[in-house]
Amino acid sequence: QQKVQQSPESLIVPEGGMASLNCTFSDRNSQYFWWYRQHSGEGPKALMSIFSNGDKKEGRFTAHLNKASLHVSLHIKDSQPSDSALYFCAAINNYAQGLTFGLGTRVSVFP
Amino acid sequence: AQTIHQWPVAEIKAVGSPLSLGCTIKGKSSPNLYWYWQATGGTLQQLFYSITVGQVESVVQLNLSASRPKDDQFILSTEKLLLSHSGFYLCAWSLLGGRYAEQFFGPGTRLTVL
């Protein structure tokens, strides 16, 4: 059974600053990792995926994966108030049950 | 394009009353379907998943049941609501073996039990 742990629980970031979110997973055979973002009152939406060791950059967002240390992270550069949301990392549990989600990190960006 | 609908958008119900929440996916055949529960601002707790019509697997026991009467429909229900059932209910779909297991969530149903 895949277990996913996230830190920190919450993060306050000034507008224009960098937000860094961390995640560890338990299954060494995991291959696919996702970051989801959920704004208040909405369903979560996939933000980005990462499947290979190293960095993946999409605009202001960079994900980093290190399978050896069972660690994945997300960095948000030049944070905007619209980035204020709940962020989940996710790793596959099995192909029937789908993704296992972490407990989430609440990011608040203040102007 | 595929769409996912959930109904109702919100419900206010009394303790002990029955509940039925629905989810429909259009534009995809034979998706995997999931029900999640989320306390306000909390984590996503998977409740049920289904990989085919008529087959539903329970992940946690919360005095809820689920059914998949059609390929594109997933129903969550209970005969007797508890206060602890309050929260945000999310339906999601994915394709078995499809694009790296990405799951797509619906807009959710906000349930308040009084």
Side-chain angles (χ1 to χ4, degrees):
Chain A
Q1 181 83 358
Q2 176 79 266
K3 293 192 189 319
V4 178
Q5 294 187 312
Q6 272 187 256
S7 63
E9 286 185 16
S10 62
L11 199 52
I12 298 175
V13 184
E15 186 173 358
M18 171 81 82
S20 294
L21 291 68
N22 295 293
C23 184
T24 57
F25 50 96
S26 62
D27 185 352
R28 288 198 172 276
N29 296 317
S30 297
Q31 296 182 49
Y32 309 131
F33 304 90
W34 289 89
W35 284 99
Y36 277 74
R37 182 166 71 178
Q38 184 183 25
H39 286 109
S40 183
E42 300 178 3
K45 291 182 175 64
L47 187 60
M48 63 188 298
S49 59
I50 186 164
F51 310 133
S52 302
N53 280 329
D55 291 337
K56 180 180 179 182
K57 186 178 178 185
E58 291 186 0
R60 297 183 294 107
F61 298 87
T62 300
H64 176 80
L65 173 62
N66 183 328
K67 290 185 183 180
S69 60
L70 304 175
H71 181 259
V72 61
S73 60
L74 178 71
H75 305 276
I76 308 173
K77 182 181 166 185
D78 187 25
S79 296
Q80 303 297 308
S82 58
D83 294 329
S84 296
L86 193 52
Y87 290 77
F88 295 100
C89 65
I92 192 162
N93 190 3
N94 57 68
Y95 285 101
Q97 199 170 345
L99 296 172
T100 293
F101 290 85
L103 297 183
T105 293
R106 179 161 299 282
V107 175
S108 301
V109 181
F110 63 93
Chain B
Q2 57 277 1
T3 57
I4 178 168
H5 298 282
Q6 287 190 242
W7 72 91
V9 172
E11 278 266 48
I12 299 176
K13 302 278 281 186
V15 169
S17 63
L19 174 77
S20 182
L21 304 181
C23 172
T24 299
I25 292 86
K26 295 298 183 188
K28 280 293 175 190
S29 62
S30 304
N32 283 13
L33 298 177
Y34 312 91
W35 276 113
Y36 288 85
W37 174 81
Q38 186 180 34
T40 302
T43 191
L44 298 165
Q45 173 64 64
Q46 192 179 85
L47 302 175
F48 300 94
Y49 66 93
S50 170
I51 62 171
T52 191
V53 174
Q55 287 187 18
V56 177
E57 300 296 330
S58 173
V59 178
V60 293
Q61 292 296 325
L62 287 180
N63 293 306
L64 295 166
S65 60
S67 64
R68 185 170 178 177
K70 302 179 190 177
D71 186 53
D72 63 354
Q73 196 173 78
F74 209 15
I75 306 296
L76 184 70
S77 59
T78 183
E79 292 185 0
K80 210 175 211 185
L81 278 166
L82 306 173
L83 284 174
S84 57
H85 286 137
S86 291
F88 198 40
Y89 288 85
L90 291 151
C91 180
W93 69 270
S94 71
L95 290 181
L96 183 64
R99 214 175 80 81
Y100 313 122
E102 182 175 1
Q103 284 179 198
F104 301 87
F105 285 84
T109 294
R110 173 75 57 193
L111 174 66
T112 303
V113 182
L114 302 174

